[in-house]
Amino acid sequence: MNTLDPDIRAYVEAAQRFAPASDDIDARRAAFLRACRACTPEKPAGLRVADHSLDGLRLRVYKPEGAVPEGGWPTLLYLHGGGWDLGSLDSHDWFAYALATRVTIAIVAVDYRLAPEHCYPAPLDDCLTAWHGLRRGMIDAELSRERLIVGGDSAGGSLAAGLCLALRRDAQPQPLGQLLAYPVLTARDHLPSMHQHAQAPMLTVAGLKQSLAGYLPHAHQRLDPCAMPLEASDFSGLAPAFIGVAGIDPLRDHGVAYGEALREVGGQAEVRVVEGLVHSGLRAFGVARVEQLWDEIADWLHARLLP
């Protein structure tokens, strides 16, 4: 039985203080930003942060201080969560800050366009713009063009996996890896966790469907593998994956199924199911099992990106 970690329960109760005043999209975005900022630790010492623009797309670049390694800083292209409709650069500094204390890489966060104003494929197109900008050295001369990984949490995890599928479709090289934290990978509800944890804290199936309606308003979009990666008929040739999922989350089996699909065709996937954890749980800093997951993510990034 997957029981809520007592420390995670305290995190959930604290997060509930930031419930939006209404279901209006602006109210939801403001509440989400407040909740994320309340969990954001102090910016680590030795981390440089600067905003950039690429063809009108806002990006935030986090780089270590010190001498730039030969070939540039190994880089994670980070795609934030928030249901494709709530997140922003300002809501997700915490992700970069947590990694910056553990692994010496650069992180480029993408301020992709949000649904419902900009439904699929606009958010993924923005992520691809950022990816190709990295590959061409157009964002920051200190960033590597080769040692690159894509990653994201929740909706950002779906975008990261979708980016890998889009690159394969376009006969482009894969990233060195794909880092997925409790990703959304199918719009269908056939997986067991969608029923077992339909009313889970921090994400319900009803809330997920609301976000999906804004991101993928048309039925045919939900069958597009670049939008919902578990709809792919072929999982070969995709980047090695690290997939961390929460035990108490309707999305638990999304990540598990994706990892199995990659391995079945000879691909690489490390899957961590963190029992007692809820969706968005990476923000529960100080909780032992959360800190352990961060350490495992950092170790995987180090092994993939650093010689």
Side-chain angles (χ1 to χ4, degrees):
M1 188 70 177
N2 207 322
T3 304
L4 191 65
D5 184 308
D7 292 327
I8 295 295
R9 186 181 302 280
Y11 160 73
V12 170
E13 291 171 353
Q16 289 172 343
R17 301 198 310 266
F18 300 97
S22 73
D23 201 40
D24 173 79
I25 189 66
D26 290 332
R28 291 173 58 216
R29 286 172 179 164
F32 184 74
L33 177 59
R34 289 194 299 270
C36 289
R37 281 180 165 170
C39 298
T40 301
E42 292 293 319
K43 181 171 80 73
L47 184 66
R48 297 176 288 162
V49 182
D51 288 354
H52 293 244
S53 178
L54 177 66
D55 296 333
L57 176 64
R58 292 181 64 233
L59 306 163
R60 184 162 293 168
V61 178
Y62 308 80
K63 294 185 297 185
E65 293 180 349
V68 179
E70 183 177 355
W73 290 109
T75 300
L76 167 68
L77 181 70
Y78 170 63
L79 314 176
H80 67 74
W84 308 280
D85 56 0
L86 301 182
S88 68
L89 295 182
D90 293 333
S91 67
H92 279 71
D93 281 325
W94 56 268
F95 195 97
Y97 291 177
L99 284 180
T101 63
R102 291 173 164 88
V103 60
T104 308
I105 62 172
I107 298 167
V108 176
V110 183
D111 196 30
Y112 58 83
R113 287 170 289 177
L114 298 179
E117 298 94 331
H118 304 281
C119 65
Y120 179 82
L124 181 59
D125 287 346
D126 288 347
C127 298
L128 285 164
T129 293
W131 173 260
H132 292 306
L134 277 172
R135 293 279 296 166
R136 295 167 185 157
M138 298 168 62
I139 296 173
D140 185 314
E142 293 185 355
L143 304 180
S144 174
R145 300 187 187 191
E146 303 293 335
R147 288 185 288 169
L148 303 173
I149 280 178
V150 67
D153 61 300
S154 192
S158 76
L159 289 166
L163 182 142
C164 292
L165 282 156
L167 292 175
R168 188 187 66 177
R169 175 199 66 197
D170 298 338
Q172 296 291 317
Q174 287 287 299
L176 296 180
Q178 49 181 318
L179 166 63
L180 313 179
Y182 30 76
V184 188
L185 299 172
T186 178
R188 295 184 288 144
D189 62 0
H190 61 295
L191 295 170
S193 61
M194 293 288 287
H195 304 279
Q196 296 167 359
H197 300 297
Q199 298 297 324
M202 305 305 292
L203 180 67
T204 64
V205 167
L208 173 61
K209 289 182 176 179
Q210 181 181 26
S211 292
L212 284 165
Y215 180 51
L216 303 171
H218 306 295
H220 72 274
Q221 295 173 320
R222 301 180 178 211
L223 300 177
D224 184 337
C226 294
M228 289 286 108
L230 276 175
E231 301 307 323
S233 58
D234 177 13
F235 293 90
S236 63
L238 297 173
F242 182 99
I243 306 165
V245 297
I248 306 175
D249 185 351
L251 302 179
R252 180 196 65 203
D253 294 340
H254 289 224
V256 173
Y258 187 65
E260 291 174 350
L262 291 175
R263 289 193 294 261
E264 283 174 1
V265 295
Q268 299 178 46
E270 297 182 34
V271 180
R272 302 287 187 271
V273 180
V274 184
E275 303 296 343
L277 190 66
V278 295
H279 193 77
S280 84
L282 278 174
R283 301 200 312 256
F285 295 109
V287 176
R289 64 187 68 190
V290 174
E291 298 295 337
Q292 180 179 348
L293 181 57
W294 277 116
D295 290 342
E296 291 177 351
I297 289 170
D299 288 346
W300 182 82
L301 287 169
H302 188 282
R304 286 277 156 201
L305 285 174
L306 299 174

